[in-house]
Structure formats: structure tokens, C-alpha cells
Amino acid sequence: MANKFLKIHPSDNVYVALSDLKAGEHLSPNGVPSVAMVDNVPAKHKFTLNGLKAGDEIFMYGVLVGKALYDIPVGGVLGTHNVKHKSADFTGRSGTFQWKAPDVSRWKERTFNGFHRPDGQVGTANYWVVLPMVFCENRNVNVIREAFEEELGFGKQNAYKDYVKELANLYREGKTETIQSLTLTQPKTLSKDKLFKNIDGLKFLTHEGGCGGTRQDSEALCALLAGYINNPNVAGATVLSLGCQNAQVSILQEKLMKVNPNFSKPLIILEQQKEGTEQELLTQAVTKTFLGLIEADKVERQPAPLNKLVVGLECGGSDGFSGISANPAIGHTSDLVVALGGTTILSEFPELCGVEQELINRTTDDQTANRFSQLMRAYSKAAEAVGSGFDMNPSPGNIKDGLITDAMKSAGAAKKGGTSPVTDVLDYTEYIKRPGLNLLCTPGNDVESTTAMAGSGATIMLFTTGLGTPTGNPISQVIKVSSNTKLAQKMPDIIDVNCGPVISGEKTIEQMGEEILDHIIEVASGNIKPKAVLLNQDDFIPWKRGVSL
């Protein structure tokens, strides 16, 4: 490894350990005499080489991320025992933002093979979705799933089913001692070929909403489902309604027309209390869905310019390397997509705490800046009202791996948004309207956030992780990006791209960002399936507008 520690920004007063540092070890930063470490500092954690007094402010990435609770000696480690969250306040836009776009000449003539929709959107996949208006219909959705998936060649064999069968047989035969040494064999592929060659899959969404709770939650659910149906990765949809729930079909139709007044995809809506028996409902649903699949299969991939890409930017299971490798790498990818005329979406508002002013200064007009400020302040106030401020956002895993304050986590998380102008700010369930970098109000919770980005139009998502998380999405292909090589080697079944070479000094942020864009183009063209897609990681959790971090 070229370096054992890193100072991220010239104005920072703490360093990041790139490898484990031992107490007594001497370090020699540029221009600073050799300093002896007084604490063991695990890789990814922070330490001071100047010493800090109680009350001193702590800076990383050039922004305020905390304050010292006690004196921290030269060579001392930072942790929750001696550091508390602190972030800077924010006001209106200041100055005129100037952006130097990256050179994208290499990709100017590139295209991806996507699915062109009548409204001009281009999908990177071709799915049919089956979804309920209310949780009462979840069982019927699952019955349809069982009827369709295996017969049409979309199902995947559950290797663990055969594994349990083997375990049960061994137990029946009295061979309990053999169970410990039994290993799982590779799952067998299903013998049935795909009936519909141009359809990537049927996706079945279930949820616990639609009735009970607040009417606002049901309205938000309808808006979210409308966004999913309108997403260009969706060829058509089957919607099951009970009939008496808060989330009425009429509200869904209203939200759909608001998102896209020219909506023209196949849309099947069935209401159980009108259809009669469950058998009548399901027979209608299966027949009409099958006919819809016949039409959806007629759409083939065709070349599309890269400005049709809509890329969501997400992080989850973050570690102390996320903000210096994977996050800035996909931030550069975001800049490349924006420079090519495409769209990117940065969400997770609790993880923008402390970097608000920088983002405000990057907005293209005062109206956009003010909307971001209002949404951030309202969200923060709602969290504080129930005793869960943004300062409580870092998870135990984050803290264990060096992200000890929310502002520290946020400063690294915001790197996913690159350096481009902020062209729009969207509230939860709003659909993208402008190309460029969009800020979308969602929780920092991984699945609630990815669920929201797909509902706002993201066709592909870049998901960075330092600890490893198996999150995916039913309709938006999730590309998992590792912040470190150790994780990529440990969990190759979920990691698509490894940004560990940035930490080791083998590659630059820019080089990784370019590689990731090339990977996106291959995924968007159907040439590569992300690990989350191969594993059927179809996570879907709507956000109830109560407090969720």
C-alpha cells in the first residue's frame, strides 16, 4: 500500500488510517516532524496528529463534522467516546456556481440498447409488474407469482429446498452426525426456457400499506406505485384492488396522469369486490396478464443515446473508506452522465446533514435552493420532535467502521453526487422532470431510499457499500460497488465493481468513475446482469411519512 494514512482536504484537522496503525508507531506527514501514535487506530478510523482540546471543532472533507468532548492527544484515535456530532448551519445561495464538466468525448458517440417507450423514455430492462393497492391483496399477488414464474421460465430453483430435503432424509436414517459435514450443492437451473424472449421478468410487489395509517400515507403509496408503473423499465402492469381501502384506484389513476398525461402502456386494474369470487379475480388477472405479456414481448432493444440514462445514487452499509473511494468514484460517474445530458438522483436527506450549504450553492436557481432548505429543515424538525435527530443516523456498523458522527457520514455520502449543478429538488414520490443532478427527499434507510428512486424514474442504481448489503430493487437494476477490496473478495456474490484499487493507490477516482460508466452501459444494454438481479433481490418498502432515518 502506497500510504498508511490520508488527509482528505487541506483544511482537515484529522487523518484517516488506510491500514491498521499501532500505538508507538511513528508517522511523518508532509511538513510535520515524526509523531508517535498513542492509540491503536484500526483501518478506516480517524486520528489526530496535532491534538485537540475539549470543544475543538473537527473538520473532514473540508467541512465541520463534529467536536471534541475531551482533550485528544497527538496520535490519539477519534471515536464516539471522545467526539460528538456537530454540523454547520446553512442559508441561501451565495456566489455564482461555476462547473467544469469532465471530458466526455470518449462517450459522445456511445449508445446503449434499451427499450423505447411511446413517451420518449428509454428503459434498461423490460419488466411486467403485478402490484396490490392494499395489503389485503398480497396473497393474491403471490398466487399469481406461483402460477407464472416457473411455467414461463422466470423462476429460479431454491437450492436450500433440496438441501433441507437431504437434511431430513439423513435425520430419518439416523445419520445425525453426517448433517454437520453436509455441504450445499450448486442450485440446478430450471429446465423450462423463457417463453417471452424480450421480457426480463415478471415482478411482484407486495407491501403493508393502502389502508389504516394516515390518508397521506395512502396517497403517497398511490403516487409511488404510479411512478413504478411509469418507469421506462416497466412494459405494463397488473393492479389488484380490494375496493374499500384508503388507497383507491381513482387516486392511483390521478397520480399516474399527473406524472404522465400521455400515459399509454397496458394497465390492467381488477377489483376483488367487483369481480366476485377469488377464483374469478385470479382467472381474470392471469388471463389478462398473459395477453399483456404477449404485447410486451414485441418490444425489442434498440440503440439509445446516453442522455436517456437515469441513474440513482445510493450507499448502504457504509464504512470509513466509502467516502474516499466508492462514493467519489460514482460521484465522478454522475458527473460524466450529467455532462452527457443524462439524469442522476441523489437521495437520503439525513445523510446530507452538514453539507447543505455546498449543495445549496450548486443549485441552478433560488427556487430550487429554497425548496431544498425547506425540505431539509422540515425533515430535521420532524425527526427531533420524536427524539431522533439526524445525529442518530449512523448505524452500529457505520460506527464500528469509522463513521462516528452523522456529519462525518454525510460528508462522505454526499460525494456520490459529484460536483455538477443541482438542477432540481424533488419531494418523496415526485417524478424526474429535468436532466442533470436531482436531489430526492428520502430517508437514509437503504430500501426505503432505493424504493423511492425507482418510483421517481431511476432505471439503474449505483449502490456503494463498505460492509456489504444485499439490497436490490424489483424494476431498477442495482449495481453494487465495494469501497474496499477485502469486501469484494469476501462477498463476490453481491459485489459488481470493486473500488478498493483507489485505497491502494492503483487507480484514481476518475479512472474508477469511468470504468463504472462503461459497466453501466453494458448493464443498460442487457449484456451484464448485476448480482442483485441474479439473486432476485427485489426489495420494496414504501416510506410512511413518519420519521425514518
Side-chain angles (χ1 to χ4, degrees), residues 15-28:
Y15 293 76
V16 183
L18 299 181
S19 60
D20 292 344
L21 303 175
K22 302 296 184 183
E25 185 173 353
H26 282 73
L27 304 180
S28 299

Side-chain angles (χ1 to χ4, degrees), residues 456-498:
S456 290
T459 54
I460 282 179
M461 296 184 204
L462 297 174
F463 189 122
T464 68
T465 182
L467 303 176
T469 177
T471 303
N473 183 265
I475 65 167
S476 182
Q477 296 143 302
V478 176
I479 299 170
K480 209 65 62 64
V481 182
S482 170
S483 73
N484 62 88
T485 299
K486 184 178 179 180
L487 171 63
Q489 293 172 342
K490 182 181 180 182
M491 304 179 77
D493 59 327
I494 68 168
I495 298 300
D496 298 288
V497 180
N498 175 28

Side-chain angles (χ1 to χ4, degrees), residues 83 199 286 387:
V83 172
I199 296 177
V286 169

